[in-house]
Amino acid sequence: MRLRRSWSGQVSTVLVAVAMLAGGACGVPQRQAAPLCRLPSEGADTLILMAQAVPTADRVPCVTSYQDGWHFASLEVRSGRSRFTLDNDRAGVSAMRVEMTPSCDTREYTEIGSDEPDTLRFERVLSVEGRFRAMRAYKFAGGCVTYRFQFDQRGQALVNEVSAMVTFVTRDAIDAAVRSTHRDGIGLDPPPAAR
Amino acid sequence: MAEILEPARSANGRTPSSSTPRLPVASGGGRRRRPSGERPPLPHDLSRSGRWWAWAACGVLAVWLTIAFTGLGPAVDRVDLVILRWIVGLRREPLTDVAVALQAVTEDRVILLLRWAALLPALWYRRFRHAGVFIGCILFSTWLTANLSYGLGRPRPVGIAVLGEWSGFSHPSSVMVDLAVAMLGCTYLLTPRGRWRSYAKLATALALAAVVAMRLYLGVNHPTDLLFGTILGVAIPLIAFRTLVPNDSFPITYTRSKGAHLDVGGLRGEAMKRALEEQLGLAVDSIRPFGLDGSAGSTPLRITLADGRALFGKLYAATHLRADRSYKLMRTLLYGRLEDESTFSTVRRLVQYEDYLLRLFADADLPSPKPCGFVEITPEREYLLVTEFFEGAREIGDPEVGVDEAVIDDALLQVRRMWQAGLAHRDVKPANVLVRDGRVLLIDVAFSEVRPSPWRQAVDLANMMLCLALRTDPETVYQRALLQYSPDEIAEAFAATRGLTLTSQLRARIREDGRNLIDRFRELAPPRPPIRIQRWSVRRIGLTASVLVASALGLALTIGAFQGAKLL
């Protein structure tokens, strides 16, 4: 004879199990969402989402690999904007923020030679004494990516590390990754007639 | 020692306190043991719809696990996109404009408005438990959705023109979760059970369906994102509310009734009748609230039997258990461990103890209601204690009750008899001292104690003398007391009397009366130094510090919870 148990106990157990499965360690799921430049597998879903946020952008920022002391902190993607931050054990929390938007205002920036193909690069230093604060913008077809540097210490060396860490992946490469996953002709963006 | 008066005898030569009422038994009915596996009179469960949603939530979990371990994700994507592309193919200009405008109902500020619309009335009507459960649902669902969306990492629909606004990963739909939780919160915090709640549920269902249709049309989510988000958003608050604030124990009403008084109509009323018949063999005609004004620790009832006779019932539930624990904690914090402040671990033990005390009082031939036993309504949650009903008895505070010297003598005699029996009532107040045919009756022995401290015995005497003085005067009561008690005993009683030792009703009546009765009794009795009631101990200091720290943490957590739920 089965013993009848309290429904509330059973359901609570299930819900706790769901929470444990879904939650895991604090912050782990967010780190798994880091936009890594490793198509078509790791980080592809995040890159797809970022590309969907700015449908006009022909490329999306991504992280090639983490330099010593750097790690992914947060991701925020919404229609019209995508943003992620990186922490550094020397520079502090949210030392680096990368944001992509359809356009950006670079009137107070200085244009310098770009290290990324098919982009224009702009720089603006806000503060070097005490905390290092600076902005960098990359303009390209259909979009703009801004880097915000905010270091607890003078950070020229750290800026160089960022330059080595963050780059771009093209929209075409993301589209190819989507097509390889779906295999039925579905790409990242709708066909031109449907837009 | 003063002469101890013998109790007056009634016409048949028997003293009232020694007459035992015959327990009425249902004719043609009789008791019945509930077999294992059979549901109790008032089952505590989720009900059919709650179980359905709970199973649906389990189904969602099963699907996730299946996808995780079998790699069926792409197949699900294909099905989703086939459905979505068909819907998107139905796009027309006017419909698109409507759908884009409808997005406004899913904005963060609308969700915030719904949440506060549910919370503010709950806080105003002191439904703190409901409010806490609702905030918990918001926090849990927000945390779960955020972690799931990052963990599953599903992008928005590909190959489709997405026309709407969106935020974050697609699965599960956080908009559906937030909206469902907010709307169910409004339903369960604002609407009483019945017609209004049914309307609210229908409105919620229609609203959610409209939002699902809108988001599919705009291509913002996959069908499974919306389905799973809706299931989670409904299941979490539904299960939480039905489990933690079930309507039978925490009904939504718009009258300012005491939290201790439970609704005894509807399903609970029927369950009580059934329980009384099956467990005590009583055929019940009706059960009605009785004497609510004077009670705060239970729901007092008048049980009318089929043969017209009456019994008295006290319905106890988890709310009373919590109130008992809070009361004892406050007493310990304010005054130290004066006497037995141990809390009861379950409602059953609370009721068992009162039943036991009633039997002790009966065995000692004290004028208290004779116990008839208690019945189980919901296992470990609700019990109904049944006793004799003192028909025709009135509270000693009732102006129509005559309080003459015979009544004073009888009242004081009962305190002496409690002393002799090794019992203390501990809740002597006008509401618990009744008079019938010139005889004093004591009710509500729930707080009584066996083998009490001398201090507690003295307090019983003082409280009884104060009850009597409220209807007469201290001088008369003191003179009559000298016939049964020594001056030192009376002096001890009022040396032990402080604010804490008076029940709240007695304190209020003395204040209304205006005479300084306690000081007058102290003037009449021999002088005696006050008996210290503050008890300091390491335990009390530690407990006080713990409560302060816990309160500060609780406040910080509450503020954090409100911020986390985006309510601040």
Side-chain angles (χ1 to χ4, degrees):
Chain A
M1 182 194 312
R2 268 188 311 145
L3 289 175
R4 293 180 68 89
R5 292 178 57 200
S6 159
W7 260 103
S8 61
Q10 291 173 325
V11 170
S12 300
T13 305
V14 169
L15 285 178
V16 167
V18 169
M20 289 171 66
L21 282 170
C26 186
V28 167
Q30 275 228 19
R31 291 199 197 102
Q32 290 172 342
L36 302 175
C37 308
R38 294 174 199 170
L39 292 173
S41 53
E42 285 186 65
D45 289 331
T46 305
L47 294 177
I48 293 170
L49 191 71
M50 291 173 69
Q52 290 174 317
V54 185
T56 55
D58 77 341
R59 60 198 65 230
V60 170
C62 58
V63 177
T64 55
S65 61
Y66 294 106
Q67 303 281 312
D68 288 343
W70 287 96
H71 46 268
F72 178 77
S74 67
L75 175 74
E76 184 189 328
V77 184
R78 60 188 309 125
S79 47
R81 186 188 74 197
S82 64
R83 172 198 295 174
F84 63 89
T85 60
L86 303 173
D87 294 343
N88 180 267
D89 56 4
R90 289 157 288 160
V93 172
S94 297
M96 167 75 169
R97 188 186 75 187
V98 178
E99 182 171 358
M100 183 172 74
T101 48
S103 63
C104 53
D105 183 2
T106 55
R107 279 175 297 178
E108 294 185 20
Y109 289 61
T110 302
E111 184 174 354
I112 63 175
S114 179
D115 52 340
E116 296 285 347
D118 299 321
T119 66
L120 301 174
R121 175 174 160 180
F122 302 82
E123 297 274 352
R124 181 183 175 197
V125 177
L126 300 171
S127 160
V128 295
E129 293 300 322
R131 284 171 71 89
F132 175 80
R133 289 170 53 235
M135 303 288 291
R136 179 188 298 178
Y138 288 95
K139 281 187 168 180
F140 47 84
C144 175
V145 169
T146 51
Y147 295 4
R148 186 197 70 183
F149 303 99
Q150 198 163 274
F151 301 156
D152 289 341
Q153 58 180 51
R154 296 184 185 195
Q156 187 57 41
L158 294 172
V159 171
N160 293 339
E161 288 177 11
V162 168
S163 297
M165 257 189 337
V166 182
T167 184
F168 295 94
V169 64
T170 63
R171 194 177 196 88
D172 288 342
I174 298 172
D175 180 68
V178 170
R179 289 180 188 278
S180 70
T181 304
H182 286 86
R183 301 178 195 279
D184 50 1
I186 294 179
L188 171 64
D189 297 311
R195 290 182 200 168
Chain B
M1 182 64 139
E3 177 187 5
I4 297 174
L5 293 179
E6 290 293 331
R9 294 183 183 278
S10 61
N12 61 7
R14 302 175 67 190
T15 59
S17 58
S18 62
S19 63
T20 304
R22 292 185 57 188
L23 180 67
V25 177
S27 56
R31 305 183 190 208
R32 171 185 170 274
R33 173 187 166 275
R34 179 167 64 91
S36 301
E38 182 179 295
R39 290 158 71 84
L42 189 63
H44 178 71
D45 66 7
L46 293 173
S47 82
R48 187 181 304 172
S49 61
R51 287 195 293 275
W52 190 93
W53 284 102
W55 278 116
C58 293
V60 166
L61 174 64
V63 169
W64 284 333
L65 292 173
T66 303
I67 290 174
F69 290 108
T70 62
L72 283 176
V76 174
D77 283 345
R78 269 196 293 279
V79 173
D80 263 343
L81 288 174
V82 164
I83 297 170
L84 197 54
R85 285 158 88 182
W86 179 80
I87 294 172
V88 166
L90 300 173
R91 284 177 179 170
R92 299 291 181 271
E93 195 64 36
L95 273 177
T96 303
D97 294 339
V98 169
V100 169
L102 205 56
Q103 285 188 110
V105 300
T106 60
E107 286 179 5
D108 286 348
R109 53 190 164 187
V110 173
I111 305 288
L112 183 65
L113 193 67
L114 283 173
R115 289 171 176 173
W116 277 113
L119 269 177
L120 283 177
L123 295 173
W124 174 255
Y125 282 97
R126 297 187 297 179
R127 294 181 208 128
F128 299 123
R129 191 176 170 91
H130 288 84
V133 170
F134 181 49
I135 293 174
C137 288
I138 295 171
L139 288 173
F140 178 69
S141 63
T142 305
W143 171 81
L144 184 68
T145 307
N147 279 278
L148 282 169
S149 68
Y150 280 111
L152 298 169
R154 193 184 200 190
R156 297 287 157 174
V158 293
I160 285 172
V162 177
L163 302 181
E165 303 291 319
W166 53 265
S167 175
F169 286 102
S170 189
H171 188 95
S173 169
S174 59
V175 165
M176 295 310 300
V177 173
D178 290 345
L179 187 63
V181 170
M183 295 196 75
L184 257 83
C186 287
T187 300
Y188 280 91
L189 264 67
L190 299 179
T191 59
R193 182 164 65 183
R195 186 165 46 109
W196 286 108
R197 188 167 290 181
S198 300
Y199 291 156
K201 288 178 184 176
L202 180 62
T204 299
L206 291 173
L208 292 177
V211 171
V212 165
M214 177 264 290
R215 292 184 78 80
L216 286 173
Y217 182 89
L218 294 176
V220 176
N221 286 109
H222 305 85
T224 49
D225 303 338
L226 299 166
L227 175 64
F228 285 20
T230 304
I231 290 174
L232 288 179
V234 172
I236 290 171
L238 191 74
I239 292 167
F241 281 116
R242 289 190 179 177
T243 305
L244 300 172
V245 281
N247 200 76
D248 288 329
S249 301
F250 305 94
I252 300 291
T253 61
Y254 286 93
T255 54
R256 288 247 184 190
S257 58
K258 286 184 184 173
H261 299 154
L262 304 172
D263 177 27
V264 296
L267 289 175
R268 181 184 276 118
E270 292 306 312
M272 289 195 291
K273 286 182 183 175
R274 183 181 147 203
L276 287 166
E277 180 168 4
E278 291 182 356
Q279 298 172 42
L280 290 181
L282 300 172
V284 175
D285 180 60
S286 67
I287 302 176
R288 304 233 187 285
F290 178 84
L292 295 178
D293 289 341
S295 86
S298 65
T299 302
L301 306 165
R302 179 189 172 112
I303 302 168
T304 305
L305 302 178
D307 61 8
R309 285 179 289 177
L311 293 175
F312 183 75
K314 291 176 75 174
L315 181 64
Y316 282 104
T319 50
H320 308 117
L321 186 68
R322 278 188 291 274
D324 178 74
R325 286 177 185 158
S326 301
Y327 173 70
K328 286 174 176 172
L329 174 64
M330 286 313 300
R331 280 166 58 93
T332 305
L333 291 176
L334 289 173
Y335 300 101
R337 201 179 181 93
L338 299 168
E339 46 202 350
D340 182 13
E341 302 290 357
S342 299
T343 56
F344 297 101
S345 57
T346 63
V347 180
R348 179 201 298 269
R349 286 178 187 244
L350 176 70
V351 177
Q352 271 177 190
Y353 186 64
E354 184 170 352
D355 187 60
Y356 162 68
L357 289 168
L358 284 165
R359 293 173 192 278
L360 281 184
F361 271 67
D363 290 346
D365 224 16
L366 288 160
S368 61
K370 299 299 178 284
C372 302
F374 66 93
V375 300
E376 177 184 84
I377 308 298
T378 303
E380 305 307 326
R381 287 183 170 267
E382 290 190 21
Y383 293 85
L384 177 62
L385 180 72
V386 184
T387 70
E388 172 189 5
F389 186 88
F390 286 145
E391 197 76 61
R394 304 180 82 137
E395 291 182 13
I396 198 168
D398 187 333
E400 294 186 20
V401 170
V403 179
D404 54 16
E405 288 181 355
V407 171
I408 295 174
D409 292 343
D410 194 30
L412 294 171
L413 175 65
Q414 303 315 324
V415 175
R416 172 68 72 184
R417 293 178 70 202
M418 281 194 287
W419 287 13
Q420 290 169 339
L423 296 167
H425 188 281
R426 295 212 302 164
D427 196 23
V428 176
K429 59 184 182 182
N432 289 341
V433 180
L434 307 184
V435 179
R436 181 176 65 181
D437 300 329
R439 308 299 306 178
V440 166
L441 304 166
L442 299 172
I443 62 170
D444 201 356
V445 303
F447 288 123
S448 301
E449 192 171 33
V450 184
R451 296 299 163 205
S453 62
W455 168 83
R456 175 47 77 182
Q457 290 176 314
V459 166
D460 264 4
L461 175 61
N463 285 348
M464 183 62 83
M465 291 179 68
L466 287 167
C467 284
L468 295 168
L470 279 169
R471 294 299 320 281
T472 55
D473 57 86
E475 290 77 12
T476 303
V477 174
Y478 182 77
Q479 291 303 319
R480 299 311 294 180
L482 286 176
L483 300 176
Q484 301 188 54
Y485 298 90
S486 69
D488 282 342
E489 286 175 327
I490 300 173
E492 179 193 350
F494 286 94
T497 298
R498 292 284 181 280
L500 164 73
T501 64
L502 301 173
T503 61
S504 51
Q505 187 197 38
L506 192 53
R507 204 179 311 125
R509 294 281 176 93
I510 293 173
R511 199 164 39 238
E512 285 167 14
D513 183 82
R515 293 175 288 169
N516 205 332
L517 298 176
I518 298 173
D519 284 349
R520 183 58 189 140
F521 275 118
R522 286 183 182 141
E523 289 169 5
L524 292 168
R528 183 177 170 140
I531 297 173
R532 192 172 61 92
I533 61 171
Q534 285 278 1
R535 302 278 192 269
W536 284 103
S537 64
V538 172
R539 180 180 180 276
R540 182 183 170 192
I541 294 170
L543 187 61
T544 305
S546 303
V547 168
L548 288 173
V549 169
S551 299
L553 273 174
L555 181 62
L557 282 172
T558 302
I559 293 172
F562 269 68
Q563 289 175 334
K566 297 182 184 171
L567 292 165
L568 288 177

